mmCIF file of all heavy atoms in Angstrom:
data_model
loop_
_atom_site.group_PDB
_atom_site.id
_atom_site.type_symbol
_atom_site.label_atom_id
_atom_site.label_comp_id
_atom_site.label_asym_id
_atom_site.label_seq_id
_atom_site.Cartn_x
_atom_site.Cartn_y
_atom_site.Cartn_z
ATOM 1 N N THR A 11 32.258 41.447 -3.024
ATOM 2 C CA THR A 11 33.294 42.412 -3.398
ATOM 3 C C THR A 11 32.726 43.820 -3.437
ATOM 4 O O THR A 11 33.361 44.774 -2.968
ATOM 5 C CB THR A 11 33.930 42.043 -4.746
ATOM 6 O OG1 THR A 11 34.546 40.755 -4.622
ATOM 7 C CG2 THR A 11 34.964 43.065 -5.184
ATOM 8 N N ASP A 12 31.527 43.970 -3.988
ATOM 9 C CA ASP A 12 30.883 45.291 -4.012
ATOM 10 C C ASP A 12 30.701 45.831 -2.600
ATOM 11 O O ASP A 12 30.939 47.015 -2.346
ATOM 12 C CB ASP A 12 29.526 45.228 -4.717
ATOM 13 C CG ASP A 12 29.630 45.082 -6.222
ATOM 14 O OD1 ASP A 12 30.732 45.282 -6.786
ATOM 15 O OD2 ASP A 12 28.600 44.764 -6.852
ATOM 16 N N ALA A 13 30.309 44.975 -1.662
ATOM 17 C CA ALA A 13 30.057 45.417 -0.285
ATOM 18 C C ALA A 13 31.328 45.942 0.365
ATOM 19 O O ALA A 13 31.335 47.046 0.935
ATOM 20 C CB ALA A 13 29.464 44.278 0.539
ATOM 21 N N TRP A 14 32.424 45.183 0.288
ATOM 22 C CA TRP A 14 33.635 45.681 0.952
ATOM 23 C C TRP A 14 34.274 46.814 0.171
ATOM 24 O O TRP A 14 34.878 47.715 0.760
ATOM 25 C CB TRP A 14 34.619 44.570 1.289
ATOM 26 C CG TRP A 14 35.329 43.877 0.179
ATOM 27 C CD1 TRP A 14 35.016 42.671 -0.384
ATOM 28 C CD2 TRP A 14 36.524 44.308 -0.480
ATOM 29 N NE1 TRP A 14 35.921 42.336 -1.367
ATOM 30 C CE2 TRP A 14 36.861 43.331 -1.438
ATOM 31 C CE3 TRP A 14 37.346 45.436 -0.371
ATOM 32 C CZ2 TRP A 14 37.964 43.431 -2.275
ATOM 33 C CZ3 TRP A 14 38.452 45.547 -1.203
ATOM 34 C CH2 TRP A 14 38.752 44.554 -2.144
ATOM 35 N N SER A 15 34.099 46.832 -1.147
ATOM 36 C CA SER A 15 34.628 47.943 -1.945
ATOM 37 C C SER A 15 33.910 49.243 -1.598
ATOM 38 O O SER A 15 34.535 50.306 -1.480
ATOM 39 C CB SER A 15 34.490 47.648 -3.440
ATOM 40 O OG SER A 15 35.321 46.575 -3.811
ATOM 41 N N GLN A 16 32.596 49.168 -1.429
ATOM 42 C CA GLN A 16 31.840 50.360 -1.034
ATOM 43 C C GLN A 16 32.267 50.841 0.348
ATOM 44 O O GLN A 16 32.377 52.045 0.592
ATOM 45 C CB GLN A 16 30.341 50.077 -1.068
ATOM 46 C CG GLN A 16 29.804 49.948 -2.467
ATOM 47 C CD GLN A 16 28.364 49.465 -2.525
ATOM 48 O OE1 GLN A 16 27.710 49.287 -1.503
ATOM 49 N NE2 GLN A 16 27.876 49.242 -3.728
ATOM 50 N N ALA A 17 32.542 49.920 1.248
ATOM 51 C CA ALA A 17 33.031 50.292 2.578
ATOM 52 C C ALA A 17 34.403 50.962 2.475
ATOM 53 O O ALA A 17 34.675 51.942 3.179
ATOM 54 C CB ALA A 17 33.094 49.064 3.485
ATOM 55 N N MET A 18 35.255 50.471 1.596
ATOM 56 C CA MET A 18 36.576 51.078 1.399
ATOM 57 C C MET A 18 36.452 52.480 0.802
ATOM 58 O O MET A 18 37.141 53.404 1.225
ATOM 59 C CB MET A 18 37.426 50.196 0.476
ATOM 60 C CG MET A 18 37.849 48.887 1.089
ATOM 61 S SD MET A 18 39.244 49.059 2.196
ATOM 62 C CE MET A 18 40.548 49.222 0.998
ATOM 63 N N VAL A 19 35.581 52.642 -0.172
ATOM 64 C CA VAL A 19 35.372 53.961 -0.779
ATOM 65 C C VAL A 19 34.854 54.938 0.276
ATOM 66 O O VAL A 19 35.329 56.075 0.376
ATOM 67 C CB VAL A 19 34.411 53.873 -1.986
ATOM 68 C CG1 VAL A 19 33.978 55.250 -2.446
ATOM 69 C CG2 VAL A 19 35.055 53.102 -3.132
ATOM 70 N N GLU A 20 33.910 54.487 1.078
ATOM 71 C CA GLU A 20 33.357 55.326 2.147
ATOM 72 C C GLU A 20 34.457 55.737 3.126
ATOM 73 O O GLU A 20 34.524 56.898 3.545
ATOM 74 C CB GLU A 20 32.240 54.578 2.868
ATOM 75 C CG GLU A 20 31.281 55.445 3.622
ATOM 76 C CD GLU A 20 30.504 56.403 2.727
ATOM 77 O OE1 GLU A 20 30.092 56.036 1.616
ATOM 78 O OE2 GLU A 20 30.317 57.559 3.161
ATOM 79 N N ALA A 21 35.327 54.814 3.477
ATOM 80 C CA ALA A 21 36.442 55.108 4.386
ATOM 81 C C ALA A 21 37.394 56.125 3.767
ATOM 82 O O ALA A 21 37.883 57.033 4.451
ATOM 83 C CB ALA A 21 37.180 53.826 4.752
ATOM 84 N N SER A 22 37.649 55.989 2.491
ATOM 85 C CA SER A 22 38.534 56.923 1.800
ATOM 86 C C SER A 22 37.933 58.331 1.769
ATOM 87 O O SER A 22 38.613 59.318 2.074
ATOM 88 C CB SER A 22 38.784 56.427 0.372
ATOM 89 O OG SER A 22 39.573 57.347 -0.339
ATOM 90 N N ILE A 23 36.674 58.415 1.423
ATOM 91 C CA ILE A 23 35.994 59.717 1.383
ATOM 92 C C ILE A 23 35.981 60.351 2.774
ATOM 93 O O ILE A 23 36.185 61.561 2.917
ATOM 94 C CB ILE A 23 34.564 59.558 0.822
ATOM 95 C CG1 ILE A 23 34.608 59.174 -0.668
ATOM 96 C CG2 ILE A 23 33.750 60.835 1.027
ATOM 97 C CD1 ILE A 23 33.275 58.739 -1.236
ATOM 98 N N ALA A 24 35.777 59.539 3.802
ATOM 99 C CA ALA A 24 35.688 60.041 5.179
ATOM 100 C C ALA A 24 36.975 60.721 5.640
ATOM 101 O O ALA A 24 36.923 61.612 6.491
ATOM 102 C CB ALA A 24 35.326 58.906 6.133
ATOM 103 N N VAL A 25 38.117 60.313 5.082
ATOM 104 C CA VAL A 25 39.384 60.930 5.479
ATOM 105 C C VAL A 25 39.884 61.928 4.422
ATOM 106 O O VAL A 25 41.053 62.313 4.429
ATOM 107 C CB VAL A 25 40.470 59.873 5.791
ATOM 108 C CG1 VAL A 25 40.062 59.014 6.979
ATOM 109 C CG2 VAL A 25 40.783 59.023 4.573
ATOM 110 N N GLY A 26 38.983 62.325 3.517
ATOM 111 C CA GLY A 26 39.336 63.325 2.518
ATOM 112 C C GLY A 26 40.048 62.768 1.302
ATOM 113 O O GLY A 26 40.640 63.524 0.523
ATOM 114 N N GLY A 27 39.990 61.461 1.129
ATOM 115 C CA GLY A 27 40.667 60.837 0.002
ATOM 116 C C GLY A 27 39.733 60.537 -1.157
ATOM 117 O O GLY A 27 38.552 60.872 -1.135
ATOM 118 N N ARG A 28 40.290 59.903 -2.134
ATOM 119 C CA ARG A 28 39.553 59.451 -3.310
ATOM 120 C C ARG A 28 39.942 58.002 -3.552
ATOM 121 O O ARG A 28 40.755 57.437 -2.841
ATOM 122 C CB ARG A 28 39.903 60.302 -4.527
ATOM 123 C CG ARG A 28 39.431 61.735 -4.354
ATOM 124 C CD ARG A 28 39.595 62.529 -5.591
ATOM 125 N NE ARG A 28 39.066 63.885 -5.356
ATOM 126 C CZ ARG A 28 39.036 64.816 -6.249
ATOM 127 N NH1 ARG A 28 39.511 64.596 -7.463
ATOM 128 N NH2 ARG A 28 38.545 66.000 -5.973
ATOM 129 N N TYR A 29 39.389 57.446 -4.571
ATOM 130 C CA TYR A 29 39.746 56.075 -4.940
ATOM 131 C C TYR A 29 40.020 56.055 -6.425
ATOM 132 O O TYR A 29 39.504 56.872 -7.183
ATOM 133 C CB TYR A 29 38.637 55.090 -4.553
ATOM 134 C CG TYR A 29 37.351 55.288 -5.325
ATOM 135 C CD1 TYR A 29 37.058 54.502 -6.428
ATOM 136 C CD2 TYR A 29 36.442 56.277 -4.966
ATOM 137 C CE1 TYR A 29 35.892 54.689 -7.157
ATOM 138 C CE2 TYR A 29 35.274 56.473 -5.681
ATOM 139 C CZ TYR A 29 34.999 55.681 -6.776
ATOM 140 O OH TYR A 29 33.853 55.880 -7.489
ATOM 141 N N TYR A 30 40.847 55.132 -6.835
ATOM 142 C CA TYR A 30 41.177 54.993 -8.246
ATOM 143 C C TYR A 30 39.980 54.381 -8.957
ATOM 144 O O TYR A 30 39.373 53.437 -8.466
ATOM 145 C CB TYR A 30 42.414 54.107 -8.399
ATOM 146 C CG TYR A 30 42.899 53.998 -9.814
ATOM 147 C CD1 TYR A 30 43.546 55.057 -10.431
ATOM 148 C CD2 TYR A 30 42.701 52.832 -10.540
ATOM 149 C CE1 TYR A 30 43.989 54.964 -11.734
ATOM 150 C CE2 TYR A 30 43.144 52.723 -11.842
ATOM 151 C CZ TYR A 30 43.795 53.800 -12.436
ATOM 152 O OH TYR A 30 44.222 53.697 -13.741
ATOM 153 N N LEU A 31 39.644 54.917 -10.103
ATOM 154 C CA LEU A 31 38.499 54.400 -10.852
ATOM 155 C C LEU A 31 38.848 53.019 -11.410
ATOM 156 O O LEU A 31 39.629 52.893 -12.348
ATOM 157 C CB LEU A 31 38.129 55.354 -11.983
ATOM 158 C CG LEU A 31 37.719 56.748 -11.519
ATOM 159 C CD1 LEU A 31 37.444 57.659 -12.713
ATOM 160 C CD2 LEU A 31 36.507 56.683 -10.617
ATOM 161 N N PRO A 32 38.297 51.973 -10.793
ATOM 162 C CA PRO A 32 38.668 50.607 -11.167
ATOM 163 C C PRO A 32 37.851 50.092 -12.346
ATOM 164 O O PRO A 32 36.963 50.761 -12.856
ATOM 165 C CB PRO A 32 38.342 49.824 -9.908
ATOM 166 C CG PRO A 32 37.150 50.543 -9.357
ATOM 167 C CD PRO A 32 37.383 52.009 -9.671
ATOM 168 N N TYR A 33 38.178 48.892 -12.709
ATOM 169 C CA TYR A 33 37.426 48.241 -13.768
ATOM 170 C C TYR A 33 36.035 47.853 -13.287
ATOM 171 O O TYR A 33 35.102 47.782 -14.071
ATOM 172 C CB TYR A 33 38.168 46.993 -14.256
ATOM 173 C CG TYR A 33 39.509 47.315 -14.845
ATOM 174 C CD1 TYR A 33 40.676 46.980 -14.183
ATOM 175 C CD2 TYR A 33 39.603 47.986 -16.059
ATOM 176 C CE1 TYR A 33 41.915 47.286 -14.726
ATOM 177 C CE2 TYR A 33 40.828 48.294 -16.608
ATOM 178 C CZ TYR A 33 41.976 47.945 -15.941
ATOM 179 O OH TYR A 33 43.195 48.253 -16.469
ATOM 180 N N GLN A 34 35.885 47.595 -12.007
ATOM 181 C CA GLN A 34 34.585 47.236 -11.456
ATOM 182 C C GLN A 34 33.840 48.500 -11.037
ATOM 183 O O GLN A 34 34.442 49.466 -10.609
ATOM 184 C CB GLN A 34 34.759 46.293 -10.267
ATOM 185 C CG GLN A 34 35.424 44.989 -10.656
ATOM 186 C CD GLN A 34 35.332 43.967 -9.569
ATOM 187 O OE1 GLN A 34 34.246 43.656 -9.107
ATOM 188 N NE2 GLN A 34 36.477 43.439 -9.165
ATOM 189 N N ARG A 35 32.544 48.436 -11.134
ATOM 190 C CA ARG A 35 31.695 49.579 -10.792
ATOM 191 C C ARG A 35 31.027 49.329 -9.447
ATOM 192 O O ARG A 35 29.813 49.319 -9.338
ATOM 193 C CB ARG A 35 30.666 49.806 -11.894
ATOM 194 C CG ARG A 35 31.284 50.120 -13.242
ATOM 195 C CD ARG A 35 30.283 50.176 -14.380
ATOM 196 N NE ARG A 35 29.401 49.020 -14.495
ATOM 197 C CZ ARG A 35 29.713 47.869 -15.086
ATOM 198 N NH1 ARG A 35 30.892 47.702 -15.621
ATOM 199 N NH2 ARG A 35 28.859 46.873 -15.137
ATOM 200 N N SER A 36 31.831 49.151 -8.419
ATOM 201 C CA SER A 36 31.299 48.830 -7.095
ATOM 202 C C SER A 36 30.790 50.050 -6.347
ATOM 203 O O SER A 36 29.811 49.964 -5.608
ATOM 204 C CB SER A 36 32.369 48.133 -6.245
ATOM 205 O OG SER A 36 32.724 46.899 -6.814
ATOM 206 N N ALA A 37 31.449 51.186 -6.484
ATOM 207 C CA ALA A 37 31.042 52.386 -5.751
ATOM 208 C C ALA A 37 29.627 52.794 -6.142
ATOM 209 O O ALA A 37 29.208 52.616 -7.290
ATOM 210 C CB ALA A 37 32.004 53.534 -6.037
ATOM 211 N N THR A 38 28.911 53.346 -5.178
ATOM 212 C CA THR A 38 27.571 53.852 -5.487
ATOM 213 C C THR A 38 27.700 55.151 -6.287
ATOM 214 O O THR A 38 28.769 55.776 -6.318
ATOM 215 C CB THR A 38 26.772 54.137 -4.201
ATOM 216 O OG1 THR A 38 27.392 55.234 -3.515
ATOM 217 C CG2 THR A 38 26.688 52.902 -3.304
ATOM 218 N N VAL A 39 26.617 55.565 -6.904
ATOM 219 C CA VAL A 39 26.607 56.819 -7.653
ATOM 220 C C VAL A 39 26.914 57.986 -6.713
ATOM 221 O O VAL A 39 27.673 58.899 -7.061
ATOM 222 C CB VAL A 39 25.255 57.016 -8.381
ATOM 223 C CG1 VAL A 39 25.167 58.389 -9.026
ATOM 224 C CG2 VAL A 39 25.061 55.916 -9.425
ATOM 225 N N THR A 40 26.372 57.956 -5.517
ATOM 226 C CA THR A 40 26.634 59.012 -4.531
ATOM 227 C C THR A 40 28.108 59.038 -4.150
ATOM 228 O O THR A 40 28.725 60.109 -4.098
ATOM 229 C CB THR A 40 25.751 58.813 -3.280
ATOM 230 O OG1 THR A 40 24.388 58.893 -3.676
ATOM 231 C CG2 THR A 40 26.042 59.862 -2.225
ATOM 232 N N GLN A 41 28.690 57.880 -3.893
ATOM 233 C CA GLN A 41 30.114 57.818 -3.550
ATOM 234 C C GLN A 41 30.968 58.366 -4.692
ATOM 235 O O GLN A 41 31.911 59.125 -4.460
ATOM 236 C CB GLN A 41 30.535 56.378 -3.244
ATOM 237 C CG GLN A 41 30.018 55.856 -1.932
ATOM 238 C CD GLN A 41 30.348 54.388 -1.737
ATOM 239 O OE1 GLN A 41 30.391 53.600 -2.675
ATOM 240 N NE2 GLN A 41 30.586 54.013 -0.482
ATOM 241 N N PHE A 42 30.627 57.992 -5.907
ATOM 242 C CA PHE A 42 31.381 58.470 -7.062
ATOM 243 C C PHE A 42 31.337 59.993 -7.139
ATOM 244 O O PHE A 42 32.371 60.639 -7.296
ATOM 245 C CB PHE A 42 30.828 57.860 -8.352
ATOM 246 C CG PHE A 42 31.523 58.344 -9.588
ATOM 247 C CD1 PHE A 42 32.692 57.736 -10.025
ATOM 248 C CD2 PHE A 42 31.027 59.413 -10.306
ATOM 249 C CE1 PHE A 42 33.342 58.187 -11.165
ATOM 250 C CE2 PHE A 42 31.672 59.873 -11.437
ATOM 251 C CZ PHE A 42 32.829 59.260 -11.873
ATOM 252 N N SER A 43 30.157 60.582 -7.003
ATOM 253 C CA SER A 43 30.042 62.039 -7.117
ATOM 254 C C SER A 43 30.718 62.762 -5.952
ATOM 255 O O SER A 43 31.227 63.858 -6.111
ATOM 256 C CB SER A 43 28.574 62.464 -7.257
ATOM 257 O OG SER A 43 27.843 62.127 -6.116
ATOM 258 N N GLN A 44 30.760 62.138 -4.776
ATOM 259 C CA GLN A 44 31.478 62.733 -3.641
ATOM 260 C C GLN A 44 32.986 62.698 -3.870
ATOM 261 O O GLN A 44 33.686 63.665 -3.563
ATOM 262 C CB GLN A 44 31.146 61.988 -2.344
ATOM 263 C CG GLN A 44 29.749 62.242 -1.842
ATOM 264 C CD GLN A 44 29.404 61.376 -0.636
ATOM 265 O OE1 GLN A 44 29.943 60.284 -0.456
ATOM 266 N NE2 GLN A 44 28.498 61.870 0.181
ATOM 267 N N ALA A 45 33.477 61.599 -4.382
ATOM 268 C CA ALA A 45 34.915 61.451 -4.600
ATOM 269 C C ALA A 45 35.385 62.235 -5.822
ATOM 270 O O ALA A 45 36.528 62.691 -5.860
ATOM 271 C CB ALA A 45 35.274 59.973 -4.752
#
């Protein structure tokens, strides 16, 4: 789940989007600070 969630976060950031802060902490620290 962490692997595909990180891929989804990366895809969202790549198109100028963000992601909703979920209950799981799958995003990397770098992804979080970018979003």
Side-chain angles (χ1 to χ4, degrees):
T11 299
D12 287 346
W14 69 261
S15 293
Q16 288 171 4
M18 291 281 283
V19 169
E20 201 63 39
S22 177
I23 292 169
V25 297
R28 294 188 178 181
Y29 66 98
Y30 185 73
L31 299 177
Y33 298 109
Q34 298 192 55
R35 299 173 309 278
S36 296
T38 67
V39 173
T40 299
Q41 288 174 326
F42 178 85
S43 63
Q44 288 174 333

